Amino acid sequence: MGETILYKYLDADGGLKMIKNSNLQFTNATRFNDPFDCHPALIDFSHIPEDNQMLKNWGKEAAIDLEFNKYERLRDDAWICSLSKIHDSVLMWAYYGYQAGICIGLDKDKVNKCLSHVITHLYIGAQILEVQYKEKVERPDYFHKRMDYFNYVLSTKAKDWEHEKEVRILLMNPTFVQEGVPDYIKDEYVDVREFRKYPKISGDCFESLYLGIKMDEEKKAEVIEAARKLNPEIKIYQMRIDPEAFKLKEEIIKI
């Protein structure tokens, strides 16, 4: 993956909060909208070799359940920040704030350096995974094919999502970082997977800022002021409609 800059699409309020707090939001892998996303069912556990010790001790059904449950537990511990390789997707702009949101360009290497000291359940630091899009559920054979199955589960999505050009930053149950529960969760007892994680990153990680074509002028001024306070060197662009194509294009805002 050669991209140096990765992009985060947000509505205007969420983007302003991210800039002011200088952090990233990580969501648990079980809490995505796509029911196939990060699911262990993407792996085929059924072809157990006859000499497998679990098969001998527990029988086939129990052996399959043991392996499947192991990946379910790993998914429970996975927190993901979703980014994109592109900043000018018409669909992505429409998803976040109806063209009135923002897109933040993040320096991948600087972000990775900031996260390299985050303590997690399995290792210190983050992993960066480029999402692979598939026409069908391939379900690789767990017992007869050598591959990193956990990363496969976390980075495989349906072809329908290909327009997102997604890259994921993975933290395994990060500790000692700010946490928050979404506003729509009102229960007194909250499943820990509902929590979002907010590790801090440095201001120089924020390489660029793109403003939606329908963004409110007052909100725009507030976002620009916060962004330049965070990183005086940040490049700021206004998105425009390309009159000659069904595209968006950016126009730099000069100081």
Side-chain angles (χ1 to χ4, degrees):
M1 184 174 62
E3 293 78 13
T4 302
I5 308 301
L6 298 174
Y7 300 95
K8 184 67 175 175
Y9 292 85
L10 301 122
D11 62 73
D13 290 334
L16 184 60
K17 188 178 294 186
M18 176 177 167
I19 291 168
K20 285 185 173 180
N21 292 320
S22 191
N23 61 19
L24 287 174
Q25 177 180 291
F26 284 74
T27 302
N28 188 265
T30 64
R31 294 306 188 255
F32 292 133
N33 292 329
D34 180 357
F36 298 96
D37 211 336
C38 302
H39 203 288
L42 294 174
I43 306 171
D44 184 355
F45 296 100
S46 65
H47 302 290
I48 307 175
E50 292 296 326
D51 61 350
N52 184 276
Q53 195 61 46
M54 287 191 302
L55 180 65
K56 293 178 180 179
N57 291 343
W58 304 101
K60 185 173 183 178
E61 187 174 338
I64 291 173
D65 286 344
L66 284 168
E67 291 297 337
F68 186 91
N69 291 342
K70 179 174 72 177
Y71 281 84
E72 279 198 318
R73 292 193 300 273
L74 283 170
R75 181 177 63 151
D76 287 344
D77 282 345
W79 265 261
I80 290 171
C81 176
S82 296
L83 304 169
S84 175
K85 292 193 284 186
I86 54 175
H87 68 273
D88 55 358
S89 166
V90 175
L91 284 175
M92 293 293 281
W93 275 104
Y95 294 160
Y96 296 91
Y98 305 101
Q99 301 286 353
I102 69 173
C103 181
I104 298 172
L106 297 163
D107 188 303
K108 179 189 69 176
D109 295 331
K110 291 177 180 178
V111 169
N112 200 34
K113 184 177 180 180
C114 287
L115 298 177
S116 65
H117 304 295
V118 175
I119 300 172
T120 76
H121 177 58
L122 292 182
Y123 42 74
I124 296 177
Q127 284 185 278
I128 296 179
L129 306 173
E130 183 171 356
V131 171
Q132 305 298 313
Y133 300 96
K134 306 289 184 180
E135 289 279 4
K136 61 180 182 178
V137 179
E138 296 176 350
R139 301 192 74 220
D141 186 341
Y142 183 71
F143 293 97
H144 297 92
K145 187 174 182 180
R146 292 182 176 274
M147 60 186 291
D148 187 333
Y149 285 97
F150 187 50
N151 280 0
Y152 175 82
V153 165
L154 293 183
S155 61
T156 300
K157 295 183 71 172
K159 197 81 169 175
D160 290 347
W161 300 98
E162 191 171 26
H163 62 276
E164 294 184 343
K165 307 295 183 188
E166 186 180 354
V167 176
R168 294 178 159 180
I169 306 177
L170 166 67
L171 290 171
M172 292 300 295
N173 197 16
T175 56
F176 307 110
V177 298
Q178 183 182 357
E179 295 182 334
V181 181
D183 293 337
Y184 58 82
I185 303 295
K186 305 299 181 185
D187 296 340
E188 183 178 352
Y189 300 101
V190 181
D191 186 331
V192 295
R193 294 172 299 180
E194 297 288 356
F195 280 80
R196 293 169 177 170
K197 311 279 186 171
Y198 295 94
K200 287 277 187 180
I201 57 175
S202 58
D204 62 347
C205 294
F206 293 75
E207 187 269 348
S208 51
L209 171 66
Y210 299 80
L211 307 171
I213 59 175
K214 296 181 179 179
M215 194 172 186
D216 174 80
E217 290 298 323
E218 186 175 335
K219 181 67 70 174
K220 186 186 300 185
E222 187 179 5
V223 169
I224 290 174
E225 181 182 3
R228 286 184 171 151
K229 183 177 180 181
L230 178 65
N231 180 9
E233 302 301 319
I234 194 169
K235 297 187 285 290
I236 302 178
Y237 301 89
Q238 176 64 58
M239 299 304 293
R240 305 284 189 197
I241 294 174
D242 187 334
E244 298 180 359
F246 291 108
K247 294 181 180 179
L248 299 175
K249 60 181 182 180
E250 69 272 9
E251 179 181 291
I252 194 160
I253 297 177
K254 298 179 180 179
I255 300 175

